[in-house]
Amino acid sequence: MNISDRKKKILSAVIDSYITTAEPVGSKAIADAGELGLSSATIRNELAELTALGLLEQPHTSAGRVPSPSGYRLYVNELMERQRLSMEETEEINRSLQLKIKQLDKLMTDVGSLASSLTSYPALALAVPAAATASRFDIIYVDANTFIIVVMLENSTVHNKLIRLPFSVEQGMVARLASVFNSSFTGIPHGVIDASLIDSAEIACGDTMGLVSVVATFTIEVLKDAAQGEAVVTGEAQLLRLPEFRDPDKAHNLMSFLSDSSHLLGLPAGDGDGDIEILIGPENVAAELKDSSVIIARYDAGDNMKGIIGVVGPTRMDYSGVAAKLSYIAAGLSRLLGAGEAPPGFDKLQIKGDGTNEH
Amino acid sequence: MNISDRKKKILSAVIDSYITTAEPVGSKAIADAGELGLSSATIRNELAELTALGLLEQPHTSAGRVPSPSGYRLYVNELMERQRLSMEETEEINRSLQLKIKQLDKLMTDVGSLASSLTSYPALALAVPAAATASRFDIIYVDANTFIIVVMLENSTVHNKLIRLPFSVEQGMVARLASVFNSSFTGIPHGVIDASLIDSAEIACGDTMGLVSVVATFTIEVLKDAAQGEAVVTGEAQLLRLPEFRDPDKAHNLMSFLSDSSHLLGLPAGDGDGDIEILIGPENVAAELKDSSVIIARYDAGDNMKGIIGVVGPTRMDYSGVAAKLSYIAAGLSRLLGAGEAPPGFDKLQIKGDGTNEH
DNA sequence: ATTAGCACTCAGATGGCGAGAGTGCCAGTG
DNA sequence: CACTGGCACTCTCGCCATCTGAGTGCTAAT
């Protein structure tokens, strides 16, 4: 798409204004701003051409212009100014992250709510499926036929599951079980544990009741769960603040979609660290997101700890501000979690997304 | 409040109808239903008196009647039929609970979403503060100055925290640390661990770097967190389904209130198992809930595992249906978590809440 | 190439009107 | 005396017509 410099400026002006006001913007408003030194008539002509090019849209004949998804795309790809965070903002993020990171089990939720409160949009945080490999087992005896299996993975997360058996097991057996599991099933990637491994463990343990195989089944479940990743959404209420979601049905649609996290697990994937991906309106595959935008940033702190944080909002979004914040959070996460690897700065940030499926 | 039998029937009729339609109900509608064999004029007179008593309200002079909070209170206390769940429903709940309960760390969330999907209202689940006592420690070595402390509590929950030190520690030390913690700090209720205990552990361990005290500080934090209880809210999107929350501002208010779980931790408390508490409109202390109702059920599976599940909705709520479901879920939870204690049936259910702060 | 001017369009606000639902009250009835 | 039929009254809501103003596209002038 090759368009004149002046058109680009005008497009930017429309988008900047629309992003903050959510009102269609007219030629007069742009002329009055005085940035361009052109009369409203001239701008009107340009607006008409931009509309013909599909970069702007007109809600109705006598309204101002509104950016189309392709308009946003162009803006994001070429026009948008990279925003730098202020000292205070970066410090605040660093500080919050330091605190959050200490509680690994609530990490996702916490980082999500950090992102949400920082951007004022609903945020999503997900951990990308990883090869789940156990690094240690613990089995806690609760009563004769109940115990809890605690599995620590190589990615330093801890998972647990309650097991209830139809027969009773004495405490000593449970301890033996734990040690057998520790020697037989650690360091083996999920998926590789098969019947033969279980059999040999059973023999090693002198188990006659099929106990090992029962517990192994549970263990595999735990690993499977862990390998499946995790997704949380926070700050959904933020949606209702936005004029585009004053229609409760629209808001309800999107919120129910978001609250089923399985939808999110499918969504993104991909590698890279610190880079941003922006999906504008119809570029989203899910129908429920067709007139929303999603901005995601990847974090990556070694093989087993990586994922995505992002926000969801209307196509009218502060792309550059949100991208900057998310990118910074993701980079901070990578740095703090990864044992002292080099932190990729915001400068290295690359905006991805080619807009091939513009409509 | 002493009112004629006929008035009670009429009040019930109004409430039943209003609960399902959300429309003010008029005398004719009640007369036409034919349950009472009275003419609309008679019912009109009764309605006028019920309104004078403050049990009903009139949105405007020529509208039907709407139950007032006191009206609901009376209904809940005296009029409401206890609803029995169908065979299918109880089975479904039991089945879901069996599954959910296996993942202790996600228990709250899962039970919350069970309650929410069953009742079609936003649900809240909280674990009541308990005396947090560790039953086992594990320390996982990540690298020379990073490790994870895993604490298992007597209530069979597992917590963990990342520790990063400014100096390095060799792996052997970490193992020794774990064993000292296991012998010194297990079985001791949170709050009792003090400086002298830490000192003696330090000596037992031969620690010269203050390592024990650092880790102990973290441990106490974990215990403190655990003792503080946990609250989750699920299914907030359900609110938007309801006519009373079609106003986005109202919905936003309530949703933001709910999304800050600290508000909820304050709310209920109290003991009892399986019994229901209903807070109608202004009976709620929090201003944000003044025109909503909250129904909660308590579960209690021994000293360390108890809490509350509940739902939030408009005052126009299916009190009896929701109460029955919550009560059943709570009882099931008590039964499944508590090691085989007697399950309190729905028959034993008591409705609490005296409505003293009616307006 | 730009701009001033002008006729035109259309969404949204405003106000009046009628329909309908529901009420309160009164007079009549078993 | 409790109940009912009837009636006048009230008030909301939806509908329609009107008006206003923002914004456009086009044309003619600079």
Side-chain angles (χ1 to χ4, degrees), chain A residues 102-103 136 138-140 143 148 152 156 158 160-162 164 225 237 246 248-249 252 255 336 339, chain B residues 102-103 136 138-140 143 148 152 156 158 160-162 164 225 237 246 248-249 252 255 336 339:
Chain A
K102 287 180 184 153
Q103 279 156 315
R136 182 196 303 217
D138 256 308
I139 304 187
I140 308 176
D143 65 36
I148 295 169
M152 281 149 264
S156 307
V158 180
N160 65 75
K161 197 160 198 141
L162 186 78
R164 201 157 274 175
D225 286 352
R246 295 209 69 85
D249 292 330
H252 185 227
M255 282 187 52
L336 288 169
Chain B
K102 285 178 185 155
Q103 281 156 312
R136 180 193 306 215
D138 255 309
I139 303 186
I140 309 175
D143 62 38
I148 296 169
M152 283 149 262
S156 305
V158 180
N160 64 75
K161 198 160 197 139
L162 185 79
R164 199 157 280 173
D225 285 352
R246 295 209 70 83
D249 293 329
H252 185 227
M255 282 188 51
L336 287 171

Side-chain angles (χ1 to χ4, degrees), chain A residues 101-106 135-143 146 148 150 152-153 155-164 218 221 225 229-230 235-241 245-249 251-253 255-256 259 335-339, chain B residues 98 101-106 135-143 146 148 150 152-153 155-164 218 221 225 229-230 235-241 245-249 251-252 255-256 259 335-339:
Chain A
I101 246 167
K102 287 180 184 153
Q103 279 156 315
L104 288 176
D105 46 353
K106 288 183 191 151
S135 66
R136 182 196 303 217
F137 291 91
D138 256 308
I139 304 187
I140 308 176
Y141 179 89
V142 177
D143 65 36
T146 316
I148 295 169
V150 180
M152 281 149 264
L153 302 186
N155 67 4
S156 307
T157 59
V158 180
H159 303 254
N160 65 75
K161 197 160 198 141
L162 186 78
I163 303 185
R164 201 157 274 175
F218 276 84
E221 262 176 57
D225 286 352
E230 194 195 347
E236 299 97 316
Q238 301 270 15
L239 279 187
L240 296 170
R241 229 177 15 88
F245 291 100
R246 295 209 69 85
D247 174 3
D249 292 330
H252 185 227
N253 260 356
M255 282 187 52
S256 338
S259 66
R335 178 166 39 89
L336 288 169
L337 285 172
Chain B
Q98 288 277 14
I101 246 168
K102 285 178 185 155
Q103 281 156 312
L104 288 176
D105 48 352
K106 289 186 192 151
S135 66
R136 180 193 306 215
F137 291 91
D138 255 309
I139 303 186
I140 309 175
Y141 178 89
V142 178
D143 62 38
T146 315
I148 296 169
V150 180
M152 283 149 262
L153 302 186
N155 68 4
S156 305
T157 59
V158 180
H159 304 253
N160 64 75
K161 198 160 197 139
L162 185 79
I163 302 184
R164 199 157 280 173
F218 275 85
E221 259 176 60
D225 285 352
E230 193 194 349
E236 298 98 317
Q238 301 271 15
L239 280 185
L240 297 169
R241 232 179 11 92
F245 290 101
R246 295 209 70 83
D247 174 3
D249 293 329
H252 185 227
M255 282 188 51
S256 336
S259 67
R335 177 165 40 87
L336 287 171
L337 284 173

Side-chain angles (χ1 to χ4, degrees), chain B residues 23-335:
Chain B
E23 303 275 306
V25 5
S27 54
K28 190 157 178 298
I30 300 178
D32 287 353
E35 299 283 329
L36 294 144
L38 293 173
S39 80
S40 71
T42 311
I43 292 174
R44 254 196 313 281
N45 290 327
E46 295 282 42
L47 288 179
E49 290 175 45
L50 284 167
T51 310
L53 288 169
L55 297 171
L56 294 178
E57 281 168 359
Q58 225 172 350
H60 55 86
T61 36
S62 78
R65 301 308 208 283
V66 159
S68 75
S70 348
Y72 284 121
R73 184 81 262 167
L74 185 69
Y75 175 78
V76 163
N77 284 352
E78 303 184 26
L79 276 34
M80 181 171 94
E81 287 176 19
R82 297 295 157 73
Q83 205 166 304
R84 280 202 99 80
L85 299 182
S86 71
M87 235 11 185
E88 294 82 47
E89 286 174 310
T90 61
E91 268 168 29
E92 193 200 327
I93 294 177
N94 284 340
R95 208 160 348 104
S96 319
L97 277 181
Q98 288 277 14
L99 291 177
K100 310 279 187 201
I101 246 168
K102 285 178 185 155
Q103 281 156 312
L104 288 176
D105 48 352
K106 289 186 192 151
L107 186 61
M108 302 267 78
T109 320
D110 284 347
V111 173
S113 63
L114 173 63
S116 172
S117 74
L118 229 51
T119 60
S120 307
Y121 290 107
L124 42 98
L126 50 161
V128 157
T133 310
S135 66
R136 180 193 306 215
F137 291 91
D138 255 309
I139 303 186
I140 309 175
Y141 178 89
V142 178
D143 62 38
N145 37 13
T146 315
F147 44 87
I148 296 169
I149 172 159
V150 180
V151 185
M152 283 149 262
L153 302 186
E154 288 190 349
N155 68 4
S156 305
T157 59
V158 180
H159 304 253
N160 64 75
K161 198 160 197 139
L162 185 79
I163 302 184
R164 199 157 280 173
L165 295 173
F167 49 87
S168 38
V169 176
E170 78 276 33
Q171 200 153 359
M173 186 61 188
V174 170
R176 224 170 326 140
L177 208 58
S179 90
V180 169
F181 268 66
N182 269 308
S183 56
S184 305
F185 296 134
T186 51
I188 300 174
H190 142 261
V192 181
I193 299 177
D194 61 2
S196 74
L197 259 170
I198 294 174
D199 281 350
S200 58
E202 207 150 58
I203 293 162
C205 183
D207 167 34
T208 52
M209 303 181 290
L211 189 57
V212 169
S213 84
V214 172
V215 177
T217 314
F218 275 85
T219 307
I220 292 173
E221 259 176 60
V222 173
L223 294 175
K224 221 184 270 170
D225 285 352
Q228 209 180 312
E230 193 194 349
V232 294
V233 180
T234 10
E236 298 98 317
Q238 301 271 15
L239 280 185
L240 297 169
R241 232 179 11 92
L242 303 165
E244 26 275 286
F245 290 101
R246 295 209 70 83
D247 174 3
D249 293 329
K250 273 194 192 158
H252 185 227
N253 260 356
L254 184 50
M255 282 188 51
S256 336
F257 178 77
L258 292 177
S259 67
D260 183 351
S261 54
S262 67
H263 291 138
L264 303 176
L265 285 172
L267 270 188
D271 300 275
D273 177 11
D275 57 52
I276 288 278
E277 188 156 345
I278 298 180
L279 294 165
I280 299 167
E283 294 170 20
N284 286 292
V285 277
E288 287 85 350
L289 294 172
K290 286 295 181 203
D291 39 38
S292 302
S293 285
V294 176
I295 307 185
I296 60 178
R298 301 210 171 75
Y299 64 87
D300 184 346
D303 284 343
N304 283 313
M305 199 73 187
K306 61 185 172 187
I308 281 165
I309 54 172
V311 304
V312 182
T315 48
R316 172 189 71 87
M317 247 183 142
D318 175 13
Y319 290 100
S320 95
V322 171
K325 285 171 188 152
L326 286 187
S327 168
Y328 193 84
I329 296 176
L333 212 48
S334 302
R335 177 165 40 87

